[in-house]
Amino acid sequence: MIIKSLDKIYSKKLHALDEVSFELSTGINGLLGANGAGKTTLLKILSTQLSPTSGDVYIYNKSIFKNQQTYRSILGYIPQEFDFPSTYKVEEVLFFLAQLKSISFAQAKKEIAFLLDLVGLETKKRNQIKELSGGMKQRLGIAQAFLGDPKVILLDEPTRSIDIYEQKKILDYISSLNDRIILFSSHITQDIEDVCDHLHILNKGKMTYTGTTKAVLEQLNECIWEYRGLKTPKIESATAKII
């Protein structure tokens, strides 16, 4: 996937993306940046939920905006906030979305059982959305993103509000999907380091680094230190200087 000169201008004072160009390789790509760097805006554009002010995105040499229906058929996406009408049941949400993706009932049943187990919601499948905690809704959002074996998966801070045990299961599963294009957005450097082969760093709407995760960690090898005070250990990192 090739992202070419993306601009997104909301107003004179808010230039969310500024000439962003990079390439998403097959495998797991990390998108790292502080809050407000433009990560969510970029993912909304890549999901065709939002149109850029200028620039384009190409997959298989075709613009995703001129071929939205075809592109969306191979896309899985979890936004930063996932919700659904409160009276729907967990299993109903997934079957409904599977139908929108033209997945057969038999295949949907098989996939949904696997995904509910993956995200730890198998015992909640008949619960209504209004009965779920924020973390459970987030896990449901992750499950629906993987429906239909998508070839492009966009994950906007997928592990937020999720407990450590469930995070590990989900991150391990994401790590196994290196035969497709995955963009994993986070401001948590540890998540990116654990699962991502390639790294793209946004800072104030500009792409400041694109390359391998290994290379940027090697650059920081001498720039990370630990300071222990009298009360609470505190870790300082030079990563902030890059992002």
Side-chain angles (χ1 to χ4, degrees):
M1 179 183 283
I2 298 173
I3 293 89
K4 189 173 181 181
S5 302
L6 281 186
D7 258 31
K8 184 59 183 179
I9 302 171
Y10 290 106
S11 67
K12 290 182 179 180
K13 293 183 178 180
L14 183 54
H15 198 157
L17 295 178
D18 187 0
E19 289 290 312
V20 170
S21 297
F22 65 107
E23 185 172 342
L24 286 176
S25 307
T26 299
I28 306 168
N29 298 263
L31 180 63
L32 185 63
N35 289 330
K39 302 188 303 297
T40 293
T41 295
L42 178 58
L43 265 75
K44 284 183 176 181
I45 290 173
L46 296 181
S47 67
T48 68
Q49 191 177 9
L50 191 65
S51 296
T53 304
S54 61
D56 213 332
V57 180
Y58 301 91
I59 188 165
Y60 309 132
N61 297 317
K62 295 181 179 180
S63 167
I64 66 171
F65 304 109
K66 294 178 181 177
N67 299 274
Q68 288 193 22
Q69 187 172 353
T70 300
Y71 173 63
R72 287 176 177 177
S73 70
I74 62 167
L75 177 66
Y77 171 53
I78 175 170
Q80 201 170 81
E81 299 288 342
F82 178 83
D83 211 340
F84 223 73
S86 62
T87 56
Y88 273 65
K89 295 179 181 177
V90 168
E91 198 173 42
E92 287 177 340
V93 169
L94 294 176
F95 274 110
F96 174 73
L97 294 173
Q99 190 174 26
L100 291 181
K101 292 186 175 187
S102 300
I103 303 171
S104 70
F105 178 79
Q107 183 62 28
K109 188 175 181 180
K110 181 179 178 181
E111 287 189 29
I112 288 168
F114 167 77
L115 291 170
L116 286 175
D117 178 65
L118 172 71
V119 300
L121 289 178
E122 67 280 0
T123 61
K124 303 289 184 180
K125 64 183 180 180
R126 293 187 175 85
N127 284 57
Q128 293 182 329
I129 298 299
K130 63 184 178 183
E131 298 173 311
L132 303 183
S133 67
M136 289 177 182
K137 289 180 183 178
Q138 186 72 2
R139 283 185 267 155
L140 177 58
I142 291 170
Q144 63 80 31
F146 295 125
L147 274 174
D149 192 33
K151 303 306 178 190
V152 179
I153 302 173
L154 308 175
L155 305 169
D156 194 354
E157 305 216 16
T159 57
R160 61 193 299 270
S161 307
I162 299 177
D163 64 68
I164 294 175
Y165 173 72
E166 297 298 343
Q167 278 186 28
K168 186 178 186 309
K169 283 177 63 180
I170 292 164
L171 291 175
D172 285 348
Y173 180 65
I174 292 171
S175 296
S176 72
L177 302 175
N178 56 10
D179 60 341
R180 61 205 72 200
I181 296 171
I182 297 178
L183 183 58
F184 185 116
S185 168
S186 181
H187 64 275
I188 302 172
T189 55
Q190 190 63 54
D191 283 355
I192 299 294
E193 181 182 351
D194 288 345
V195 302
C196 299
D197 306 310
H198 312 286
L199 178 62
H200 312 282
I201 299 177
L202 267 179
N203 182 34
K204 297 179 180 178
K206 291 180 178 289
M207 190 63 70
T208 59
Y209 175 85
T210 182
T212 66
T213 307
K214 181 180 179 182
V216 78
L217 288 174
E218 287 174 352
Q219 290 179 37
L220 293 173
N221 191 40
E222 302 298 326
C223 303
I224 299 175
W225 65 93
E226 183 177 304
Y227 168 79
R228 292 187 178 273
L230 295 176
K231 294 182 179 180
T232 307
K234 183 180 179 182
I235 295 175
E236 301 287 347
S237 170
T239 306
K241 295 179 181 179
I242 293 180
I243 64 173

